[in-house]
Amino acid sequence: MPLPFLTADRAFETADDVALPFEDRDRWRRPYRPGPCRVGVAALWLLLASYVLFAAVIIALTGTVTEAAVVLGVALLVIAGALRLLRVGVWVSARGLRRVSFLVTRTVPWEQVVAVRTVQQPVRWLGLPRTVQGQALMLVRRDRAADDMPALMTTHNADFLARLEAFDRATDAVEAWAAENARG
């Protein structure tokens, strides 16, 4: 029984830029993968949440229901924090550009976008107060000054720390979305 999808003798499609038929441009998507720092911290939070859930079960069996409910609530907060941490980043769709931070999400429609460009400047290292020289992807809006907007992503944030090639690919993808959609 031949399995053509597992063999190398069939001809592959050469058009890599062709949109797939199921690709929905109105759906929000992150044009890059989350970095290993962000995924590692989220995994540690989920591991901590599993221990807290186990503690909630033990407390429910031996203690009061109220204590178990409090510990269960703490575990659910840790799980929600880990999932939110994985959602942090820049998202694009045909409707606009969305910057998701841990607590706040801001969406800018493409009609308000003048330019998205990469600049060389001092950037914060992993979001901490310490700054280092790096690159940042900046958004220029019609209704705000260019200096007023925070960086969308930097070479030293949790997604791109020590991954300069991934940063270049991500900025190219976001700049391409902006060039394609901001014309209208």
Side-chain angles (χ1 to χ4, degrees), residues 73-138:
V74 169
L76 292 178
L77 282 175
V78 172
I79 291 170
L83 294 178
R84 184 65 183 184
L85 184 66
L86 290 174
R87 299 262 317 154
V88 168
V90 176
W91 297 73
V92 291
S93 81
R95 290 177 275 173
L97 185 129
R98 181 173 284 175
R99 182 177 183 262
V100 178
S101 62
F102 192 73
L103 297 175
V104 179
T105 298
R106 301 204 189 278
T107 304
V108 179
W110 289 119
E111 293 81 28
Q112 295 294 321
V113 174
V114 174
V116 176
R117 61 176 173 247
T118 306
V119 295
Q120 186 86 17
Q121 69 179 26
V123 296
R124 296 173 82 180
W125 185 76
L126 290 176
L128 299 172
R130 177 178 179 232
T131 59
V132 294
Q133 192 63 27
Q135 294 179 354
L137 183 68
M138 301 299 292

Side-chain angles (χ1 to χ4, degrees), residues 139-184:
L139 171 69
V140 180
R141 292 177 55 167
R142 293 189 199 284
D143 56 350
R144 291 198 182 164
D147 300 339
D148 193 25
M149 295 298 296
L152 294 174
M153 62 178 95
T154 67
T155 52
H156 290 80
N157 68 6
D159 288 326
F160 302 110
L161 189 63
R163 296 177 53 218
L164 191 57
E165 297 84 19
F167 177 78
D168 291 338
R169 283 192 309 269
T171 55
D172 289 344
V174 174
E175 288 170 353
W177 272 86
E180 180 180 334
N181 294 306
R183 294 180 196 165

Side-chain angles (χ1 to χ4, degrees), residues 12-20:
F12 289 103
E13 296 293 325
T14 57
D16 293 331
D17 294 336
V18 176
L20 298 173

